[in-house]
């Protein structure tokens, strides 16, 4: 059974837009993160922080490699726990 996903366009540093599926949204330490997977290349994944303001939500890149690794580790733990609960 295929899961319905939200899709967004992300512009890279060269100005090229790519479509990504929102694989997961999760909270860690009072921040919300989005785990995104490219529709063109399933191995192309990124983690971005979700920011809220009065005009809505937007995604920002994460410059700190340690923060990215922490988020990816938490995602893997949650994914593994979810599979064990099934």
């Amino acid at each position: 059974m295929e899961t319905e996903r939200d899709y967004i366009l992300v512009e890279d540093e060269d100005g090229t837009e790519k479509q990504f599926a929102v694989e997961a949204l999760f909270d860690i330490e009072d921040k919300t993160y989005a785990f995104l997977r490219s529709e063109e290349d399933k191995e192309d994944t990124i983690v971005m922080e979700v920011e809220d303001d009065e005009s809505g939500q937007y995604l920002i890149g994460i410059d700190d490699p340690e923060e990215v690794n922490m988020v990816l580790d938490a995602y893997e733990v949650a994914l593994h726990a979810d599979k064990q609960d099934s």
Side-chain angles (χ1 to χ4, degrees), residues 21-45:
V22 178
E23 291 286 318
L25 292 170
F26 45 96
D27 296 321
I28 301 173
E29 298 179 0
D30 299 327
K31 291 183 180 181
T32 301
Y33 296 94
F35 182 76
L36 310 172
R37 185 176 309 278
S38 171
E39 282 300 289
E40 298 166 12
D41 177 2
K42 300 294 184 190
E43 297 299 314
D44 187 7
T45 59

Side-chain angles (χ1 to χ4, degrees), residues 39-81:
E39 282 300 289
E40 298 166 12
D41 177 2
K42 300 294 184 190
E43 297 299 314
D44 187 7
T45 59
I46 56 175
V47 176
M48 299 184 85
E49 185 178 344
V50 179
E51 287 285 327
D52 290 306
D53 66 16
E54 58 278 348
S55 63
Q57 291 183 324
Y58 58 96
L59 298 172
I60 58 172
I62 303 170
D63 294 328
D64 181 1
E66 288 182 22
E67 184 177 4
V68 171
N69 287 333
M70 175 200 61
V71 173
L72 289 173
D73 288 345
Y75 177 72
E76 288 295 323
V77 167
L79 193 62
H80 183 68

